[in-house]
Every structure is written in structure tokens, then in C-alpha cells.
Amino acid sequence: MAYRPSKQFKKTLLGSGAVLVLAALNAPAAVSFAEEKYHAYKIARPDYTRRYGSWAEVPVPAEYRINAIHAALLHTGKVLLIAGSGNDQKNFDAGTFETILWDPARNAFKKVPTPVDFFCSGHTQLPDGRLLVAGGTARYEVLDGEVKKAGGGMRVKNESPDKEVTLKKGTVFRSPSGIEYVSTSEVTVPRAKREFEISYFASGQMKPWKTKVTAAESRVFVEAREEGPEALTTEAAQYEVVGLTGEDADNVYGLAQKLTTEKQDFQGIKAAYEFDPKAERYVPVAPMKDARWYPTLVGLQDGRVLAVSGLNDVGDVVPGDNEIYDPESKKWTKGPFHYFPTYPALFLTRGGKLLYTGSNAGYGPADKGREPGLWDLETNTFTKLGGLTDPDQLETSASLLLPPAQNQKVMVLGGGGVGESEKSTARTSVIDLSADSPVFTDGPALPQGTRYLSSVLMPDDTVFTSGGSRDYRGRSGSDVLRAQFYDPESNAFTEAAEPTVGRNYHSEALLLPDGRVATFGSDPLYDDEDNTKLGTFEQRIEVFTPPYLHRAGTARPVLGGGSRELDRNGRATFTTEDAGRIVKARLMRPSAVTHTTDVEQRSIALGLTKGSDGVTLTVDVPDDRTLVPPGWYMLFVVDRDGVPSEAQWIQVG
């Protein structure tokens, strides 16, 4: 139908002499003003919102505005927004690290003390509802041309089998020629490994014991005390630790191969914490063995967590040393070895294998670790999967396990070239893991090439996608102010209302328990199309209300009282006056998202049984924990018109 402005709208637009004068003096400005007013009028119309949905900005008090780098939904219904230093080196240098807890039901905010710089950490939901947060920032990058002092990785050796050695930040290493380098962080080197060797004489008698000592090793970043070419070296050498005496001086030393003024990348930390949603605070747990910046944490079927990739404590991509966290012991152990670029998208699939879609977010060579595949953790075998269009444009792409999870279909959307490439793709691809020989096949194209696309699973089995940019970090004013729904059944996109806030790098989106979608963050490189003004971090929160919540005269189905845990048969029963019109139930895992990477969200179809009394409803949860990993979930029921209830929280053990 044609939209006609109301009388009030016409009066506002044309009834003022001042506006007519303005139009005469500056016709383009007047036309732009008129278009904006008309657009605002059009998208507020009920028939528009019923078809496309609507957007609204959340009022955030100034003291709670934050550079949201990470967003996670907790089983209390609150959203944890983590900035750490927020991609701001001044904050990092000052030790100013931030976390905000947002309650969308009351639009209330709370500051949470943040113990370390969680900027670019990894996170995942634990079975008890806590959020594991691990890694973060130890040092900001220094670009080519800005490095004033030679620096690089120092391997610190300890040959003593009797004690570990801790060298504090600021420890001095001296080269054979007398050049001194200073460590930028504390480093602990374990005891050397002592092994006993047993051998025998020809007569069969045992020879005296022999021992073999293998030096232990840790890494630390060092930089020269002074500027100048004297400190540059690309030759291997041994460095004494200034201040050590006696046996310590003999047993502990440094080895370095390359100390230069080349670009120095970000460096990670080993720290790990659990965020307690009830106490609303971070609780320290054992640190990781490897420092990690830009890691992925993925929950496994037994409740443990696998941490992969990231930049280590000297700024190198962790070469494949992965580790597993046990939420019972609060400790880490060695995991299967495999190399991935940073923030790889890994999904737990039926049977326990992990699918790597090839989606990632940034660091690592273009020709290593970027091919999709299925990873068997038990045998540590990786089977590559083909068929993907534009395989060189997977960086900053979105990936998700399509609903319902039982179908075992995974989708990749958009993406761009490696690094600061101008390339972006409109490609979507879907792989059916239940097929005998799964391969990626092309899905419908996005409206344009898009990096940093946010993709959110919805209770009605659609996928809501929004935002992103065509170019690297929104360069050249390339933010995409569009949104759309993908329907897995029809394999097609339909248009949704357009957001008003651009979202590119460092942006997030997640499903709220009331069925809306909240969007956060954005860190553009520039604030103008000519790339002359440095970008400003986007601190506004915008929430999308889907069409199913705008359907006039349709009340949402309501789930009443019921258990927050499953019985021994994997079932839970609820009361509802709407049992007659409810047609399906979905168990939806809450998001933990950063850098377009959300390996947590999944939607599981549940068995549904209606009681003979007409007011009870029993849901049946699959007992396959590779399909339904342990943890807290949102339970939605959906009526015959596609309208979902508000979520009830339920725990799967």
C-alpha cells in the first residue's frame, strides 16, 4: 500500500515559513530533512512493523557507556558487557579495565570490578551457569616505524631440577657484547626435568645410575634499554640474567634469535576467571599454560572447555598447543595439537567432533590453518571439507549451527580477505554434516559483500542477520545499514527493518530472553567516507523487536510454573493456558560473542506432549550431550502463528 503522511506530519514538514525559507536557501538539505522525517514516519507504521520489525535505542546513562568488545547472556537474564581496556591504550597504560552488567528487563546497569585486561579474551558458558573468561591483553601492538627500541621474544632456560625460577618484570638480560634488554612482564620457568638412565654390563649386572637433565623453558618479551642500531640482532645468542649469582647464574639464562624494530604485535595473558552470575563478580581460577589473545573457547559434551589459538606472550600465534579446562578441578591440561588462526569458529557436532568452518578473526598467515574441516579430538585427526566459494574470504565471516541443531547443518555468511584487505563477499554456504560425504554448497547471497555480519538464532527457527561493513573496519563509510531473516526451510532471505546504528569491527548481537535482539559496539577505523577522521567507538545499544512481537491482536503464549531442572527422563512439565495453540518448543543456548565469533548459540527441537487437562505441557530434551551440551538454556514455546513465549530458564546436566 502507499504511505500517506498524516496532517500533523504535513504541518510539521511544510507549515513553517522558516522551513520554506530554508528550502529556498538550501534545497538539498530540505529534501534530506523531508526524507528523514518520512522514513521515520513510515517505519513506525503498524503495517510496516508487523512485516519488518522495528529498532529502538536503549537509553544508557553516561557513566555506564562502554566500549563493548564482548557480550554474553547469563542465566539471570542479564547481559555481561566486557571492554577490558576497550582497544584504548591509554586505558591499558592506566590499568583502567571495565565490565558492565545490563539488565534488559529493567534497563538497569551495574559496574563490575575487572581484575585484568580481558580485551580480546575468549569466553564460554559452563554447566553451572558461570561464564569462563580466559586470556586477554598483556601488551598493545607497536606498528612499523613506531618501534624505537629493539625487541622480541626471549626463551628463558632453567637447568635446575630442584626449583622453579620466577623473574620479575624488569629483569635485565645482557648479551655477550654487553647490550642489555629488559623483560616487559614476569615469567616463571619450571624446574628442569630429571630422568634416570639404567644400563647393564655385558655380564648382565646393573651399571651405576646415570641422570639426564633437560632444561625447562618459558618465554618473555624483552626490549632494549636504549634506542639505537647496536641492539638490533638476527643472530642466535645466549644472554646472562643480571643479578643472579652462584648456581642460579649458571642454571638460568636467556636465548634469543631475533631482536629487531619490526612491528610488534599484541601479546596475550594466561589469566582465567569464572564470572559468577549470582554474586556478580569474577572469581580467579588456574591460569592457562599458554598466554592467549584472540582465543576461541568451546564447550565440550562432558562440560569441559577447549581453548585454541590466540597470540601468545611474545605476540606469535600459538603454534597449535591447545588446552582443556575442567570446571570441577578449575585447572587446565594439555589438549590435542592443531594449528588455527585466531578466533577460529569451532562447533560441537553430533558425535563429539568439532567442525571448523574456516571463519576466523584476524591473525595468522593466509596459507595456514584456514581450510574448513572436521576435527576428531580423540584421534586428533582433521578431515578437510570442500565446496566453499570464496575460500580466501573467510576472515571476519559469520558462522552458526542452523536451527534446529538436530539437522546438523552449519552456515557461513560473508567475510573478507586476510588482514586489511578491501575484499568482501556476499557468499553464504551451508554444509549438511549428516550427509555421507558432506561438502559446502552455496546458499542465497547477501545483499552485498559483508564483513563482521551479526547472525542470531531466533525462537521461530529463522536466523536474523544485521550490520557489518563492506570494507575493513567500515573503511570509506562502508557500514551496511541493512538487516534480513534467513529461513533454513526455504533457503531464502527476507528483508527486515533497517538498523540506524552502524556495526562493524568489535560489535556484537545476541538473543534476549524476551525474544528481541540486542546489538552493541562497533570500532570503525575512520568516521568519514574520505578516511580523514579517526574512528570513534560506538557505545549506543540498539534493540530489534521482530515482526512476531508486532502482530496486532495476538497475545504471546505464556509458560507458567515449572521445573528449572530436568527429571531423570530428561523432561520438564509446565502449566499454560495456551497449550492448545502451542506447536513447538525450542531449547536455546545463551550467546557469548565477540569478533563475529559465537560458537555457543544453538537451538534444539524438543519433544512436546500436552496433558489431557489442557493446561499442562511436557517438553522432552534429547539425552545426547554432543547435541545438547550441559548448561543453562532458554526454553521458548511457539504457537501456530510463529509467536514465541518469553523464555523460561532450565538447566541441562
Side-chain angles (χ1 to χ4, degrees):
M1 62 171 288
Y3 293 99
R4 296 182 179 179
S6 66
K7 293 180 180 179
Q8 180 62 41
F9 175 79
K10 292 179 180 178
K11 180 178 179 181
T12 303
L13 184 62
L14 302 173
S16 168
V19 171
L20 292 175
V21 171
L22 173 63
L25 295 175
N26 192 346
V31 170
S32 176
F33 174 75
E35 289 175 347
E36 289 178 7
K37 295 290 287 185
Y38 177 68
H39 179 71
Y41 161 81
K42 183 182 74 171
I43 65 175
R45 296 272 297 176
D47 44 3
Y48 181 92
T49 59
R50 281 196 298 269
R51 182 174 180 182
Y52 301 109
S54 64
W55 290 87
E57 185 179 332
V58 173
V60 182
E63 65 268 30
Y64 298 113
R65 294 173 190 164
I66 191 174
N67 291 3
I69 307 294
H70 311 264
L73 178 63
L74 308 175
H75 73 88
T76 58
K78 297 179 181 180
V79 179
L80 194 70
L81 298 174
I82 305 173
S85 57
N87 203 18
D88 186 326
Q89 185 157 5
K90 290 181 180 178
N91 288 341
F92 177 80
D93 293 340
T96 301
F97 310 137
E98 291 185 299
T99 300
I100 295 293
L101 199 57
W102 173 47
D103 183 350
R106 299 187 300 114
N107 197 40
F109 298 84
K110 176 183 177 180
K111 292 184 178 180
V112 177
T114 308
V116 296
D117 191 3
F118 289 129
F119 171 55
C120 296
S121 60
H123 33 58
T124 192
Q125 306 281 356
L126 294 176
D128 66 357
R130 295 189 179 206
L131 184 78
L132 177 65
V133 185
T137 304
R139 189 172 189 265
Y140 269 64
E141 69 180 356
V142 186
L143 303 176
D144 285 328
E146 297 179 8
V147 181
K148 304 302 181 186
K149 296 179 180 179
M154 180 75 69
R155 296 158 53 206
V156 185
K157 293 280 191 175
N158 179 16
E159 294 187 354
S160 171
D162 300 318
K163 63 178 182 180
E164 69 177 23
V165 175
T166 297
L167 303 179
K168 294 183 177 180
K169 177 181 178 180
T171 294
V172 177
F173 294 82
R174 184 178 292 144
S175 74
S177 62
I179 304 297
E180 293 185 343
Y181 302 83
V182 181
S183 64
T184 60
S185 62
E186 184 178 283
V187 59
T188 296
V189 193
R191 293 180 297 174
K193 186 176 182 180
R194 179 190 281 132
E195 297 177 315
F196 295 98
E197 294 182 349
I198 302 175
S199 59
Y200 296 87
F201 292 107
S203 62
Q205 292 181 313
M206 185 183 296
K207 291 182 178 180
W209 289 92
K210 289 185 178 180
T211 59
K212 177 184 177 183
V213 175
T214 303
E217 177 180 306
S218 294
R219 297 181 303 268
V220 69
F221 192 86
V222 299
E223 58 184 11
R225 272 190 183 277
E226 307 292 340
E227 298 179 13
E230 297 83 5
L232 300 173
T233 179
T234 56
E235 296 183 0
Q238 182 169 315
Y239 295 73
E240 67 171 301
V241 180
V242 175
L244 295 184
T245 59
E247 290 186 353
D248 288 344
D250 294 332
N251 289 329
V252 183
Y253 53 90
L255 296 174
Q257 173 75 41
K258 184 179 180 183
L259 299 169
T260 72
T261 53
E262 296 173 359
K263 176 182 181 289
Q264 297 170 356
D265 276 319
F266 283 93
Q267 294 165 18
I269 59 177
K270 300 178 181 180
Y273 286 76
E274 290 181 358
F275 185 81
D276 184 337
K278 294 181 179 178
E280 298 185 344
R281 66 186 181 93
Y282 290 104
V283 179
V285 296
M288 297 179 289
K289 177 182 179 294
D290 279 295
R292 299 181 189 271
W293 186 88
Y294 266 52
T296 291
L297 272 59
V298 56
L300 305 177
Q301 64 266 30
D302 57 6
R304 297 183 302 159
V305 175
L306 176 68
V308 301
S309 193
L311 298 187
N312 61 22
D313 44 12
V314 295
D316 298 329
V317 178
V318 176
D321 300 293
N322 307 307
E323 45 195 308
I324 293 177
Y325 178 74
D326 185 343
E328 296 294 329
S329 67
K330 312 294 185 187
K331 294 181 180 179
W332 299 83
T333 55
K334 187 176 182 179
F337 185 92
H338 193 85
Y339 175 90
F340 294 98
T342 56
Y343 278 137
L346 295 165
F347 296 91
L348 180 65
T349 68
R350 179 174 271 162
K353 295 179 182 179
L354 295 182
L355 171 67
Y356 171 50
T357 62
S359 296
N360 65 89
Y363 289 79
D367 58 352
K368 185 178 180 183
R370 295 183 180 261
E371 287 188 79
L374 271 174
W375 185 20
D376 187 326
L377 301 182
E378 291 187 4
T379 62
N380 195 24
T381 53
F382 188 86
T383 304
K384 294 180 180 179
L385 299 170
L388 195 63
T389 299
D390 293 338
D392 63 335
Q393 296 178 61
L394 284 168
E395 194 163 287
T396 66
S397 62
S399 295
L400 48 84
L401 180 63
L402 289 173
Q406 283 92 334
N407 291 347
Q408 291 292 281
K409 292 183 178 181
V410 179
M411 189 175 197
V412 178
L413 304 96
V418 174
E420 299 185 17
S421 168
E422 295 180 356
K423 286 184 178 180
S424 64
T425 177
R427 172 263 296 122
T428 73
S429 290
V430 177
I431 188 165
D432 183 352
L433 297 175
S434 64
D436 292 337
S437 299
V439 293
F440 284 94
T441 57
D442 285 348
L446 295 165
Q448 64 279 303
T450 309
R451 305 172 68 122
Y452 319 107
L453 184 72
S454 288
S455 300
V456 179
L457 302 180
M458 305 299 286
D460 63 355
D461 287 348
T462 60
V463 178
F464 177 70
T465 73
S466 67
S469 63
R470 293 186 303 277
D471 201 348
Y472 173 78
R473 288 185 62 179
R475 193 166 46 194
S476 303
S478 61
D479 279 354
V480 178
L481 291 173
R482 300 190 68 163
Q484 47 274 321
F485 286 100
Y486 172 73
D487 182 357
E489 284 196 7
S490 64
N491 191 32
F493 283 106
T494 57
E495 185 181 353
E498 297 173 352
T500 60
V501 179
R503 307 286 183 188
N504 52 69
Y505 184 54
H506 286 156
S507 64
E508 306 84 36
L510 53 77
L511 177 68
L512 297 174
D514 62 9
R516 298 179 300 158
V517 175
T519 62
F520 318 90
S522 191
D523 196 0
L525 199 58
Y526 300 102
D527 271 349
D528 62 336
E529 294 184 10
D530 296 327
N531 300 328
T532 60
K533 299 178 182 178
L534 289 179
T536 304
F537 203 106
E538 178 57 70
Q539 296 184 327
R540 286 176 290 175
I541 298 174
E542 195 172 26
V543 173
F544 176 71
T545 300
Y548 55 56
L549 296 182
H550 283 291
R551 291 173 186 164
T554 303
R556 301 181 71 171
V558 176
L559 270 184
S563 175
R564 291 167 67 84
E565 296 180 357
L566 302 176
D567 66 19
R568 66 180 63 186
N569 297 312
R571 295 172 183 158
T573 300
F574 299 84
T575 58
T576 173
E577 298 294 332
D578 301 307
R581 63 187 176 106
I582 291 171
V583 296
K584 63 184 178 183
R586 293 293 182 263
L587 204 61
M588 304 193 72
R589 193 168 175 90
S591 287
V593 57
T594 185
H595 292 75
T596 319
T597 305
D598 185 355
V599 300
E600 284 294 288
Q601 63 171 342
R602 63 176 55 207
S603 176
I604 301 102
L606 305 184
L608 194 61
T609 304
K610 299 177 182 181
S612 58
D613 57 7
V615 294
T616 57
L617 201 66
T618 299
V619 296
D620 194 343
V621 177
D623 60 4
D624 183 349
R625 291 296 165 263
T626 64
L627 184 67
V628 192
W632 282 87
Y633 287 78
M634 292 180 285
L635 170 62
F636 290 93
V637 292
V638 183
D639 71 11
R640 64 176 69 94
D641 295 319
V643 179
S645 65
E646 291 198 19
Q648 292 271 17
W649 287 95
I650 191 167
Q651 188 174 21
V652 176

